[in-house]
Amino acid sequence: MLAGRKILLIITGGIAAFKAIDLMRMIKKAGGDVQPILTKSALEFVTPLTAGTVAGNPALSELFDLGREAEINHIELVRDADLIVVVPATGDFMAKMAHGFADDLASTAILARDKHVIVAPSMNVRMWEAAPTQRNFQTLVDDGMSFVGPDKGEMACGEFGLGRLAEPDVIFAAIKDYFFTFGENLPLKGKRVLVTSGATREPLDPVRFLTNASSGKQGTAIASALRAAGADVEFITGAADVPPPDGVNVTQITTAQDMYDAVHEALPCDVAIFCAAVSDWRPKAVGDKKIKKNGDGTAPSLEMVLNPDILHSVAQLEPDQRPQLVIGFAAETNDVVKHAEAKLVRKGCDWLLANDVSAGSGTFGGDHNSIIFFDGQGHQEWAQMSKAEVGQKLTNQITSYLKQPD
Ligand code: PMT
């Protein structure tokens, strides 16, 4: 998700400095590159060895490094980075940034910056609320920096209030959000993509419903890859076992009719992908009280009515309203190719991703999928891969398609 992104991480000297190490791990895990800079006081809390080992880059601290017999090129450090993050930012360092002091490597890098800066402050509540800190905060906001936290809570010094460092996962989310929102050269920047995901639920009575085993993993992985490629994603989801990806606009629905309404509300879009497992029918009558057993010992029978076909309804829209690409899925338990070919025509979509969902396939709820991809010209079998890789491959195909001249 952060592949190829370079983050200059400035760690200043606060009790919460150790949390910067957790943040580094998250950035590295997401494929990002971290260059740590530790201020002199940060060295009291974090060793350069720990920071450098976790980052995979030597932790820098001094403006002049005798070992290198040269001045560290702070300008190059900043030019090389895509984003600067200060975690934790002490009151002292905020003051330095606000007033343009440049007496160590960290403050010099800030003064020489040509990149966005995210600041996560951490200090005692009185220090945070102090007029000079609040003035510095306003100056830094006016200078274009963005802030994560501080949070309210108990402090290491025993006092309570605003000043705690935001949790590393929240700072990490802000970093990802920065790249989603401001990242340049993302292939799907400016494209609006709708993704349906998860399982619909059709109520029978207040305590029972008809559903299926979709976990939402495949739809979520697709939405996540599209978002990472810069698309604005409308994510319309039924019940799911996994949370929606970061940075997408989520609409939570219950029934197929809710999903139909939400999809049509979210139009227009450039691309629409229908990965949700939607119930084809629903009980004709929904009891407002729990359905009881029949008095004669027989089970009650259910009368069903058809749900609207969401994919079909979008694929049939007039050209001025229809997404440029309408992509369906086909969940089949047998004769996958034959059924999928017929489904592509019947639904009127442009592409169709068929997957085998027979017992033992592990497709529903699993982490892998084996796709047969139909584009109206023929079909290709994709090797079995993770659902994340399916999301990435589909995103690449969409990107190539949208790049083609009309
Ligand atoms: O969620 P996971 O556990 O990761 O599993 C992923 C998946 C198996 C659910 C997914 O890969 C998948 O196959 N999704 C489509 C499930 C489905 O409803 O297939 P279908 O063959 O019944 O429907 C065909 C297409 O029509 C689908 O795009 C479906 O979203 C759409 N549809 C179906 C019925 C309906 N009333 N409206 C629709 O839009």
Side-chain angles (χ1 to χ4, degrees):
M1 191 177 296
L2 294 182
R5 301 298 187 177
K6 290 189 179 170
I7 292 155
L8 194 61
L9 180 65
I10 296 177
I11 307 175
T12 74
I15 192 82
F18 70 95
K19 289 192 182 172
I21 302 295
D22 294 339
L23 177 66
M24 266 192 234
R25 288 203 181 90
M26 291 175 188
I27 297 170
K28 294 286 293 175
K29 202 170 163 206
D33 187 68
V34 185
Q35 174 57 63
I37 297 182
L38 276 65
T39 61
K40 203 169 165 201
S41 55
L43 297 173
E44 304 291 332
F45 299 93
V46 174
T47 70
L49 186 63
T50 310
T53 307
V54 174
N57 282 316
L60 304 172
S61 186
E62 301 290 339
L63 199 46
F64 298 95
D65 183 337
L66 292 180
R68 293 186 181 194
E69 292 176 349
E71 185 179 352
I72 303 240
N73 193 335
H74 54 278
I75 305 286
E76 209 170 282
L77 272 180
V78 178
R79 299 294 172 269
D80 252 17
D82 296 304
L83 176 68
I84 303 171
V85 185
V86 188
V87 179
T90 57
D92 177 64
F93 198 70
M94 278 179 61
K96 273 186 165 178
M97 291 195 291
H99 295 279
F101 283 83
D103 60 355
D104 63 2
L105 185 58
S107 54
T108 310
I110 289 287
L111 192 60
R113 72 184 181 278
D114 61 350
K115 301 291 159 26
H116 185 66
V117 183
I118 295 179
V119 184
S122 165
M123 65 198 77
N124 166 275
V125 55
R126 307 265 166 254
M127 290 172 74
W128 173 254
E129 286 172 353
T133 306
Q134 288 304 304
R135 280 198 298 273
N136 294 335
F137 168 57
Q138 197 50 55
T139 302
L140 296 173
V141 170
D142 293 344
D143 285 351
M145 295 190 184
S146 51
F147 278 73
V148 188
D151 287 352
K152 206 176 204 172
E154 195 165 341
M155 326 233 123
C157 57
E159 289 192 59
F160 186 89
L162 268 183
R164 277 173 63 94
L165 182 69
E167 288 306 319
D169 57 336
V170 177
I171 304 170
F172 181 58
I175 292 172
K176 284 189 296 181
D177 219 45
Y178 168 77
F179 286 117
F180 288 150
T181 313
F182 300 106
E184 285 155 18
N185 302 326
L186 291 173
L188 294 180
K189 187 119 186 115
K191 297 291 175 193
R192 195 172 144 76
V193 184
L194 182 154
V195 180
T196 71
S197 181
T200 59
R201 288 179 171 180
E202 306 298 335
L204 272 75
D205 67 18
V207 294
R208 302 183 180 96
F209 53 82
L210 197 68
T211 189
N212 59 69
S214 170
S215 63
K217 287 183 180 175
Q218 185 60 85
T220 301
I222 291 169
S224 176
L226 289 162
R227 186 65 187 134
D232 291 325
V233 180
E234 284 293 330
F235 187 67
I236 300 173
T237 179
D241 299 344
V242 288
D246 288 327
V248 304
N249 190 37
V250 182
T251 305
Q252 182 78 48
I253 58 85
T254 304
T255 66
Q257 183 64 52
D258 295 342
M259 186 169 269
Y260 177 96
D261 294 342
V263 163
H264 284 272
E265 175 91 358
L267 293 174
C269 63
D270 299 290
V271 180
I273 304 168
F274 295 85
C275 188
V278 183
S279 182
D280 289 317
W281 339 274
R282 65 178 184 275
K284 186 172 180 187
V286 182
D288 57 357
K289 295 196 180 62
K290 187 179 166 196
I291 302 169
K292 296 287 182 199
K293 283 184 217 160
N294 291 339
D296 59 3
T298 60
S301 53
L302 283 176
E303 194 180 343
M304 308 288 260
V305 290
L306 280 177
N307 270 328
D309 189 321
I310 310 162
L311 167 58
H312 183 261
S313 70
V314 173
Q316 302 309 314
L317 287 171
E318 294 298 321
D320 60 331
Q321 295 164 32
R322 187 186 191 275
Q324 208 175 328
L325 255 184
V326 178
I327 304 171
F329 268 75
E332 307 294 345
T333 53
N334 59 294
D335 299 317
V336 177
V337 170
K338 192 174 101 190
H339 288 312
E341 270 168 351
K343 207 166 262 183
L344 177 76
V345 175
R346 198 167 65 243
K347 302 265 185 180
C349 51
D350 305 303
W351 296 353
L352 190 104
L353 282 75
N355 42 202
D356 180 354
V357 294
S358 56
S361 68
T363 307
F364 269 117
D367 292 322
H368 292 82
N369 207 347
S370 300
I371 295 289
I372 308 180
F373 176 82
F374 296 77
D375 62 1
Q377 313 292 318
H379 65 268
Q380 301 153 17
E381 289 192 23
W382 294 358
Q384 198 202 47
M385 56 185 83
S386 69
K387 286 182 176 171
E389 286 167 321
V390 170
Q392 191 55 59
K393 194 169 165 77
L394 181 61
T395 298
N396 294 346
Q397 305 237 147
I398 292 170
T399 303
S400 310
Y401 179 88
L402 294 179
K403 261 199 219 145
Q404 287 169 11
D406 293 336

